[in-house]
Amino acid sequence: MQKQIACLLFIVWVTIMFSGAVPVFLLLFACGCIVGSTTVLFGFGGGFFIVPLLYALLTATADSHTAAAAMHIAVATSTGVMIFSASLATLRQHRAGMINWPQVRPLAGYIAAGAVAGALLAIAVQGIWVKWMFIAYLAITILDSIFRPGFMTQSASHLRTMPAGAVAVAGTVIGVVAAFLGVGGSVMTVPLMRRRGAEMAQATAMANPLSLPMALAGTLTYILLARHETAEFGSGFAGYVDIQAFMLLIAGSWLGQKLSAPLIGRIPDKLYAKSYLALLIFVLLVMVIVQ
């Protein structure tokens, strides 16, 4: 396990220290490694790292037409990467016995339906508004997790079942918000499951299968309904999805998940909760700084 931790820390160090010098493809691969790690350990799905990174890269290096759509491309590509990362993480968490499937299945269909609406809404909104909604959502989530009881400490000794009406509302809202922002459902599903009595390891594990229906529905919407608007981007795009970035990110994600798998279920609960919030705060700061 020490070797896996050392490798992950090295990848993070390389990304931070040399992001301005290494070729873009190496930076994307290194980011993919971090995405794989956070997906399998925190259920993030990658959006919190992919969206800021791609937004910064596109605004700095792309032509004016593509740069103007940087936020839409970042969100759509992030959503596509989640299909791979969430699927692989779900398989690993299932094998580790961390997923409570009776709690997951009722939400999945509503999340998929909400994701279509969220992707359509994101396509219709200017990119700068998506960025600031992303920032506002992060800030609200962080403050809610810190100040409202039930997240930092386990609120019950067992996972409580949600009423049918609450499942429908929660699933639809999670799908809309997750696809609109390209972040997966973890920012909503993890606090939701946490406050219903789940340990952090279990809550983050369940975020992965719940991110998958959102990723599938959202990606198809970004590809099929935006293909005419994005024709000027060139052959490297499928709708708003950046194909090269997508491939590099999923390759790195596979490696990150491989290295992180031995840590599943071994992180103390309180440290897990604090680490989750620390990652949210880090991404919030990145998004505020990046212009």
Side-chain angles (χ1 to χ4, degrees), residues 48 131-149 151-152 173 177 181 186-188 191-192 195 276-277 280-281 283-285 288:
F48 289 111
K131 174 188 174 180
W132 286 107
M133 289 178 186
F134 184 98
I135 290 171
Y137 183 65
L138 276 175
I140 291 169
T141 301
I142 291 166
L143 292 174
D144 179 72
S145 298
I146 292 173
F147 294 109
R148 189 156 68 103
F151 183 85
M152 296 302 293
V173 171
V177 174
L181 299 177
S186 65
V187 206
M188 302 183 76
L192 174 67
R195 291 197 171 90
Y276 185 90
L277 285 180
L280 292 186
I281 293 169
V283 177
L284 175 63
L285 293 175
V288 170

Side-chain angles (χ1 to χ4, degrees), residues 9-22 27 30:
L9 290 176
F10 177 74
I11 290 167
V12 173
W13 179 79
V14 169
T15 303
I16 294 172
M17 296 301 293
F18 296 101
S19 59
V22 297
L27 178 59

Side-chain angles (χ1 to χ4, degrees), residues 254-285:
W254 175 85
L255 178 60
Q257 291 201 28
K258 186 78 171 177
L259 295 172
S260 301
L263 298 175
I264 294 174
R266 297 186 179 184
I267 303 175
D269 192 71
K270 286 188 177 181
L271 176 61
Y272 220 149
K274 291 178 180 178
S275 300
Y276 185 90
L277 285 180
L279 286 171
L280 292 186
I281 293 169
F282 169 76
V283 177
L284 175 63
L285 293 175

